[in-house]
Amino acid sequence: MTETNLVETNSETTFMGSAAQDKAEVDTTSSQLSNDKLIEMLKSMMQIRRFEERTMQSYMQQKIGGFCHIYIGQEAVAVGSIGATKPDDPIVGAYRDHGLALARGMDPKYAMAEMFGKITGCAKGKGGSMHFFDKEHHMYGGHAIVGGQCPLGAGLAFAIQYEKKDNVVLCYFGDGAVNQGAFHEAFNLASIWNLPVIFVLENNSYSMGTHINRGTAMANDLRAKAEAYGMRYAECDGLDVLDVYTTFKREIDRTRNAANPQWERGIIPDYKREGAPVGPCFMNVKTYRYKGHSMSDPQKYRAKEEVEAKQELDPINRLVNHLIDNNIATQDQIDEFDKAAKAEAQAAVKFANESPEMPIEELFTDIYVNPYGPYKKGGLPQMLQGKDLE
């Protein structure tokens, strides 16, 4: 870890109204959200931001091991999109999953404990940062294989269709997944079976350190990816939580309404740019991550000025300005919300610190082992039977 990263890790954002936000306002033209809903969204984004800052700090203190991918800058994507779902609509994501889990309702204590490798974690400490899972809140995991969650999203949608439910799956992935075979296979099946799924590209412009324009064909118009599979396409400003919410609400309703008895192959909708066919949708959410790809990323592939320009469009500050300008909240109230978010993040770290370590016996539970081989001498090795522990 470089000294530069250490300095950045310890920095904190200040949420202030009317500060450096002249370049962009939130889109309120189609939003019919109540004041309570707007404040709820702000609190949720603050919760993610403060949780992530404590995550970085804990990582630097070596409380967290392995890979760790920070979500700061992308909070509006998780909060806006998940805010437009029903609580039992399944979501599935990639390794940058902290924000998705918190926005879906995971208790920050269990999220932090998971990264600390503690038994109280959401996956008993076995998954770590990249593998949050929360069955109670219908979050079906963060997945570390790039694009690997796309077939899982299609599978969840197939289950919904098979059981004739009216849910919609949100399947999140990053820029790099667009070029994976699993992405295209999932799109193909979702389209020919008219599955109730929205594939969500969290387009932060970088596949690790490679700009999307250098690694993805037709990056200037990703609509082509949807058209190739006869799938509906939409995009929104991922730094504007209200634009995210209203766009997702519209497209989720369209996809949910496609869950009628006529889903056989014979009624596959034709793709029409103006016709907005029902069924699956490819959503391109243009966002930005302020931090590196992971905690070990020195970020030599982008200029400091580029990051600073994006930070001026900060999604939390944009909503803060909207709330203050429209007399929905005062700066004092904003400060209290932020104070609560900081306290909650600190409590999560304390809980994780004080939680017991995962017992070594847990290494042999919740795993799949083929007892019949192919093992030498025809038997299951003692180590896989847990006998080495005796």
Side-chain angles (χ1 to χ4, degrees), residues 88-147:
D88 60 345
D89 284 336
I91 67 170
V92 60
Y95 43 79
R96 200 180 306 279
D97 57 355
H98 310 164
L100 297 177
L102 295 180
R104 188 20 94 83
M106 181 182 289
D107 190 317
K109 297 196 303 292
Y110 305 139
M112 190 65 76
E114 181 60 32
M115 289 188 285
F116 277 50
K118 299 298 183 69
I119 189 66
T120 52
C122 61
K124 298 183 180 179
K126 298 179 181 182
S129 167
M130 298 192 288
H131 301 287
F132 282 12
F133 197 96
D134 189 352
K135 182 179 179 182
E136 177 187 355
H137 293 98
H138 300 272
M139 182 200 174
Y140 292 92
H143 298 271
I145 303 299
V146 176

Side-chain angles (χ1 to χ4, degrees), residues 178-198:
V178 174
N179 305 315
Q180 294 290 324
F183 168 92
H184 295 278
E185 293 167 1
F187 267 45
N188 187 59
L189 277 181
S191 185
I192 64 174
W193 289 345
N194 205 26
L195 298 178
V197 55
I198 294 181

Side-chain angles (χ1 to χ4, degrees), residues 12-227:
E12 277 191 356
T13 310
T14 300
F15 305 127
M16 297 288 291
S18 304
Q21 294 297 308
D22 295 334
K23 293 185 178 180
E25 300 292 337
V26 293
D27 179 9
T28 60
T29 54
S30 56
S31 173
Q32 300 297 322
L33 295 174
S34 66
N35 292 348
D36 288 343
K37 181 71 173 179
L38 293 172
I39 290 175
E40 177 189 326
M41 285 181 162
L42 176 65
K43 288 181 177 178
S44 185
M45 287 197 291
M46 285 177 164
Q47 178 194 55
I48 296 172
R49 180 71 59 91
R50 296 313 185 195
F51 178 88
E52 291 289 66
E53 288 169 350
R54 287 294 174 186
T55 297
M56 291 190 295
Q57 187 180 64
S58 298
Y59 190 92
M60 296 300 296
Q61 295 169 345
Q62 300 184 337
K63 298 284 187 180
I64 298 172
F67 292 104
C68 186
H69 305 83
I70 299 301
Y71 201 68
I72 290 178
Q74 299 186 202
E75 296 91 346
V77 184
V79 172
S81 60
I82 293 174
T85 64
K86 297 197 304 182
D88 60 345
D89 284 336
I91 67 170
V92 60
Y95 43 79
R96 200 180 306 279
D97 57 355
H98 310 164
L100 297 177
L102 295 180
R104 188 20 94 83
M106 181 182 289
D107 190 317
K109 297 196 303 292
Y110 305 139
M112 190 65 76
E114 181 60 32
M115 289 188 285
F116 277 50
K118 299 298 183 69
I119 189 66
T120 52
C122 61
K124 298 183 180 179
K126 298 179 181 182
S129 167
M130 298 192 288
H131 301 287
F132 282 12
F133 197 96
D134 189 352
K135 182 179 179 182
E136 177 187 355
H137 293 98
H138 300 272
M139 182 200 174
Y140 292 92
H143 298 271
I145 303 299
V146 176
Q149 70 277 31
C150 295
L152 295 176
L156 288 165
F158 178 80
I160 289 169
Q161 189 183 70
Y162 186 80
E163 295 175 351
K164 302 188 185 308
K165 296 180 178 177
D166 69 343
N167 295 108
V168 174
V169 177
L170 298 190
C171 177
Y172 298 84
F173 47 87
D175 309 9
V178 174
N179 305 315
Q180 294 290 324
F183 168 92
H184 295 278
E185 293 167 1
F187 267 45
N188 187 59
L189 277 181
S191 185
I192 64 174
W193 289 345
N194 205 26
L195 298 178
V197 55
I198 294 181
F199 293 103
V200 185
L201 170 58
E202 294 194 75
N203 187 350
N204 60 31
S205 297
Y206 290 97
S207 305
M208 296 185 71
T210 302
H211 194 278
I212 189 171
N213 290 338
R214 298 181 60 203
T216 299
M218 294 298 295
N220 62 317
D221 188 2
L222 292 177
R223 179 190 301 267
K225 308 290 186 185
E227 285 183 335

Side-chain angles (χ1 to χ4, degrees), residues 265-287:
R265 289 191 59 168
I267 53 89
I268 298 171
D270 294 328
Y271 186 88
K272 298 176 182 177
R273 284 197 172 195
E274 303 300 328
V278 296
C281 177
F282 177 32
M283 186 82 80
N284 179 14
V285 187
K286 298 179 179 179
T287 183

Side-chain angles (χ1 to χ4, degrees), residues 332-385:
D332 287 343
Q333 288 175 308
I334 301 294
D335 293 341
E336 286 299 315
F337 300 155
D338 189 31
K339 184 178 178 182
K342 288 179 177 178
E344 185 180 49
Q346 289 172 344
V349 171
K350 184 174 186 293
F351 175 82
N353 258 327
E354 296 176 352
S355 290
E357 300 286 345
M358 182 181 69
I360 195 168
E361 290 80 11
E362 277 293 336
L363 293 174
F364 299 92
T365 65
D366 308 320
I367 59 174
Y368 172 77
V369 175
N370 180 356
Y372 303 109
Y375 307 114
K376 291 182 179 179
K377 299 181 181 180
L380 187 65
Q382 285 191 348
M383 183 271 290
L384 294 181
Q385 299 177 45

